[in-house]
Amino acid sequence: MLEVAPKIKTLVPYVTGKPIEETQREYGIKKVIKLASNENPLGASPKVYSALKKALKQKLHLYPDGACFELKKSYSKIFGFKTEELVFGNGSDELMGLLLQAYCQPGDSVVTFQNSFVAFKISAQAHCLNTFEIKIKGDLQYDVEALILFIKNDWTPKHKFIYLANPNNPTGAYITREQMKALVDAVLLRRDLILVIDEAYLEFVRANDYGYAEKFLKTCPNLVLLRTMSKAYGLAGLRVGILIGNPQVIEPVAKVRTPFSVNGLAQVAGVAALSDPNHVKKSVKLAWAGIEYYNSELKKMGLKVYPSQGNFVLFDCGRDVSGIFESLLKRGLILRPLKNYGLNNLIRLSVGTMKNNKFAISAIKKVLAKG
Ligand SMILES: *Cc1c(COP(=O)(O)O)cnc(C)c1O
């Protein structure tokens, strides 16, 4: 038998949120609420559903537009990018892999932070790359100064990428305005690397000192942004991700993409979703209200809650959460344990509708009261 590549043999695939149907089957319960994948509890905009209804008849049997012309046009018009500065993909997940495919060879390295979003690291391993993790600070915050020192002192030609989720999932850590400026300055000193800032939760950010990366795109060609329509736009099931950057830098990514990776219905849905900014506003408001609610309820239970800039809350149970997670499942609540991040005492909870948030708090209360 042909040997599996060593990096693939030891690859641990991405752990997705436990599906509702699976939980219903395993525990023999009907009512199951999933707050485990940071999905939009409002669903997509009503405009998306009516656009899809029409498109179903017209588009299902046709190959999609490989260039995503309409989607690019809408996005560029709304956010002020040139269409050449955009590549759409089958979720930002696909775009992460394509970046690595376009720029790396087996044995190269990517640099990221400990506890930063794991999908990029998994993709790196799948491409036979090494990942170097910069240690984080106490309280799960990014140590940007340590990263800058690494760029200045320890960077080698084998290192190709820096990947940062801003804000991060699952820890909620974010890079401040000053840190972003310092990081970009350091990156500008070396042109032989690409800095990827993953802004999956950009719409939810509230911190006054949050470091927006977009303004550096003009002066820093080796900076690219990843965005997604999976969260605030509620299109996680259709898979629409966006890569934004210098046309020369992102062109190789477009080249290695399979031409039809963004399907026709996803493109229609994307355009419709972009035409309804009010739905995004409503979704963000709901997330903020949910975070306030969880903050106060979880703190009342004596639990440590981490500050969040996303649509999720991270809290510390003070002990290994495996048993708690299991008991919550029995009560029909799917949350997200973070064992795969080595954070054994923490649970991540996605903000839902207020009704589901109340259900979650009541279930957590009951389970923790049992000890
Ligand atoms: C959810 C999430 C994404 C989005 O991934 P898609 O493939 O676009 O659905 C990307 N990055 C982070 C940090 C996320 O949490």
Side-chain angles (χ1 to χ4, degrees):
M1 284 274 259
L2 185 61
E3 277 285 319
V4 176
K7 284 274 184 203
I8 306 303
K9 240 186 205 166
T10 56
L11 183 74
V12 182
Y14 184 73
V15 183
T16 58
K18 196 174 172 68
I20 290 176
E21 294 80 359
E22 188 183 300
T23 310
Q24 287 169 327
R25 275 197 309 272
E26 282 177 12
Y27 294 90
I29 42 177
K30 277 211 187 87
K31 184 185 173 183
V32 173
I33 286 165
K34 180 184 169 207
L35 297 173
S37 298
N38 300 347
E39 291 146 339
N40 190 330
L42 298 178
S45 151
K47 292 187 188 212
V48 169
Y49 297 96
S50 51
L52 282 177
K53 226 184 237 167
K54 249 199 237 157
L56 256 183
K57 288 225 174 84
Q58 298 164 349
K59 303 245 179 192
L60 210 61
H61 59 297
L62 301 176
Y63 279 106
D65 171 18
C68 298
F69 180 83
E70 291 297 333
L71 193 49
K72 261 189 204 166
K73 202 171 82 180
S74 294
Y75 199 87
S76 98
K77 205 166 141 195
I78 293 167
F79 295 104
F81 299 106
K82 295 192 190 108
T83 51
E84 312 88 80
E85 293 173 317
L86 303 171
V87 178
F88 280 82
N90 191 255
S92 43
D93 227 11
E94 182 193 30
L95 295 164
M96 289 178 199
L98 295 180
L99 275 165
L100 297 171
Q101 195 183 334
Y103 282 99
C104 297
Q105 303 199 39
D108 284 345
S109 297
V110 302
V111 176
T112 181
F113 280 106
Q114 179 193 2
N115 293 331
S116 86
F117 188 52
V118 75
F120 196 82
K121 297 177 208 175
I122 294 172
S123 193
Q125 194 180 344
H127 286 86
C128 300
L129 309 172
N130 303 307
T131 298
F132 183 81
E133 295 188 9
I134 307 279
K135 289 246 171 332
I136 53 165
K137 293 201 264 201
D139 250 18
L140 305 179
Q141 289 307 305
Y142 284 138
D143 191 346
V144 179
E145 293 71 27
L147 172 60
I148 291 173
L149 279 178
F150 185 90
I151 298 169
K152 288 189 173 153
N153 300 328
D154 301 307
W155 202 266
T156 74
K158 287 259 181 205
H159 294 106
K160 297 287 157 72
F161 280 94
I162 300 168
Y163 167 83
L164 293 176
N166 191 34
N168 188 38
N169 166 23
T171 62
Y174 67 94
I175 303 177
T176 65
R177 194 179 306 122
E178 277 161 32
Q179 289 170 333
M180 185 63 80
K181 167 94 174 55
L183 179 59
V184 169
D185 283 345
V187 162
L188 274 169
L189 295 176
R190 296 200 63 110
R191 291 301 177 101
D192 58 347
L193 65 88
I194 293 177
L195 170 62
V196 182
I197 305 287
D198 181 343
E199 300 183 324
Y201 300 94
L202 184 70
E203 295 84 357
F204 297 100
V205 168
R206 289 192 269 184
N208 289 326
D209 62 345
Y210 173 82
Y212 290 90
E214 185 184 326
K215 60 177 175 224
F216 297 109
L217 281 174
K218 284 231 155 42
T219 49
C220 186
N222 45 341
L223 163 71
V224 299
L225 310 180
L226 280 175
R227 293 187 187 167
T228 182
M229 301 196 75
S230 296
K231 308 284 158 61
Y233 291 93
L235 297 184
L238 280 169
R239 320 299 303 126
V240 182
I242 307 131
L243 173 69
I244 305 167
N246 180 288
Q248 249 176 306
V249 174
I250 63 171
E251 193 266 341
V253 176
K255 212 158 92 178
V256 292
R257 188 179 76 97
T258 55
F260 307 124
S261 73
V262 186
N263 74 69
L265 295 178
Q267 293 186 35
V268 167
V271 171
L274 287 169
S275 77
D276 190 359
N278 277 331
H279 184 74
V280 174
K281 267 191 209 143
K282 229 166 95 181
S283 308
V284 169
K285 262 198 182 153
L286 182 68
W288 288 356
I291 287 170
E292 302 297 329
Y293 172 72
Y294 281 119
N295 258 326
S296 87
E297 290 298 321
L298 293 168
K299 277 179 189 160
K300 267 192 244 163
M301 289 183 228
L303 302 170
K304 177 179 165 69
V305 186
Y306 286 87
S308 173
Q309 299 297 324
N311 59 352
F312 56 88
V313 170
L314 185 68
F315 63 97
D316 192 333
C317 293
R319 58 184 153 110
D320 187 286
V321 299
S322 308
I324 298 169
F325 173 67
E326 185 78 19
S327 304
L328 288 171
L329 285 179
K330 283 184 196 147
R331 294 183 175 273
L333 179 64
I334 311 172
L335 300 185
R336 190 67 159 262
L338 298 170
K339 257 210 161 65
N340 58 329
Y341 285 87
L343 302 168
N344 296 349
N345 295 358
L346 304 188
I347 292 184
R348 192 194 69 195
L349 185 163
S350 309
V351 175
T353 57
M354 264 307 166
K355 188 166 160 244
N356 286 350
N357 294 340
K358 285 184 179 150
F359 174 81
I361 283 295
S362 139
I364 294 168
K365 258 186 199 156
K366 282 176 196 149
V367 165
L368 290 182
K370 279 197 176 160

